Amino acid sequence: MNNYDYLATNLYRTSNSGILSTISQSNEGCPFGSFVTYISILDRSAYFYLSDIAEHTKNIKAQSKACLTILGKKNNNTDQQNNSRLSMMGNLLKIKEKELENCKKRFFALLPESKNYANFHGFNFYKFEIKKTRWIGGFGKIDWLDEKKWKCQKLNWEKKENNIIEHMNQDHSDTIAAAINAKYGIKDKNAKILFLTMDGYYAEANSK
């Protein structure tokens, strides 16, 4: 993984919100941007939980092409143009029935507040299948990233995910706790892995 890909992946995996741009159906095909939350999954695809009455949902039902833009944290530089950002273009498609339970499990675990939306009618899950990724890390730090790594893909260990997690949580809990403490300064001997990704894993510590 080159440095740009590493930085882009880190921003993507540690964020859960961005600006979703869709193609407006009510305004002559103009781009339409709106704030959304998301979770990233095993490969570098993402899940969204969208309302049927939202303008972006109406747009993607007619035209699935979309772009998700994620902004990095502001640095000490006063020039905002020098902050990092990531733009991912692809197709936003409604989740297939066979994938729905797995999607719900992940989404509500990582964004638990979203479970409240299930009380309202007209919310559905969508999968963002990424085709192209553009990284800007500041002035002169710009590139299109390797398409193969960002496109939707089957991982050869995908069906073993639950077994891997169970093994790690039962037999290597001390390693997980030590890693989280070393990286984030969070102490919890009961820390555990929740989900894997091709870039690492999501974990829970101190009930967060």
Side-chain angles (χ1 to χ4, degrees):
M1 186 185 299
N2 65 37
N3 191 50
Y4 285 175
D5 195 63
Y6 172 80
L7 293 171
T9 302
N10 187 60
L11 176 57
Y12 176 56
R13 295 292 190 186
T14 57
S15 301
N16 58 22
S17 64
I19 300 299
L20 179 67
S21 297
T22 53
I23 300 171
S24 178
Q25 298 304 301
S26 60
N27 291 282
E28 301 178 344
C30 288
F32 176 81
S34 53
F35 174 84
V36 292
T37 56
Y38 73 92
I39 67 164
S40 61
I41 57 176
L42 275 78
D43 61 6
R44 292 182 184 167
S45 305
Y47 286 151
F48 295 81
Y49 195 32
L50 305 177
S51 168
D52 286 344
I53 64 173
E55 197 70 17
H56 49 235
T57 309
K58 295 176 184 177
N59 293 340
I60 62 173
K61 285 182 176 180
Q63 171 58 271
S64 66
K65 291 180 180 178
C67 177
L68 177 65
T69 300
I70 304 167
L71 302 178
K73 293 181 180 179
K74 293 181 180 179
N75 56 37
N76 294 326
N77 193 317
T78 56
D79 189 346
Q80 295 185 47
Q81 288 284 350
N82 206 33
N83 290 328
S84 61
R85 56 265 200 197
L86 179 67
S87 293
M88 298 170 289
M89 296 179 290
N91 293 299
L92 200 49
L93 306 169
K94 194 171 182 179
I95 288 289
K96 296 178 181 178
E97 189 65 32
K98 64 180 181 180
E99 197 174 348
L100 186 56
E101 285 307 311
N102 181 51
C103 172
K104 285 182 179 180
K105 177 183 176 182
R106 292 175 187 272
F107 205 97
F108 293 150
L110 297 176
L111 290 175
E113 63 276 10
S114 298
K115 200 167 186 178
N116 296 327
Y117 305 155
N119 297 323
F120 300 95
H121 293 294
F123 270 84
N124 290 286
F125 288 99
Y126 291 79
K127 185 175 184 178
F128 186 43
E129 298 183 351
I130 301 165
K131 304 295 183 184
K132 287 270 193 177
T133 307
R134 181 74 164 173
W135 167 254
I136 301 177
F139 288 118
K141 302 173 183 177
I142 304 169
D143 203 2
W144 291 101
L145 302 181
D146 188 344
E147 292 180 25
K148 294 178 182 178
K149 295 178 181 178
W150 290 85
K151 283 186 177 180
C152 188
Q153 58 185 290
K154 281 284 186 183
L155 304 173
N156 57 18
W157 49 264
E158 187 171 334
K159 292 182 179 179
K160 300 177 182 178
E161 181 190 15
N162 290 334
N163 291 335
I164 295 169
I165 292 172
E166 184 179 359
H167 167 68
M168 289 299 297
N169 286 338
Q170 287 185 358
D171 299 336
H172 302 284
S173 58
D174 54 340
T175 302
I176 299 166
I180 293 173
N181 185 30
K183 178 70 175 177
Y184 300 105
I186 298 172
K187 295 182 179 181
D188 181 6
K189 65 180 181 180
N190 297 314
K192 62 181 180 180
I193 293 174
L194 294 177
F195 306 112
L196 303 180
T197 79
M198 61 183 280
D199 301 302
Y201 58 82
Y202 287 106
E204 180 181 80
N206 294 333
S207 301
K208 295 182 180 180

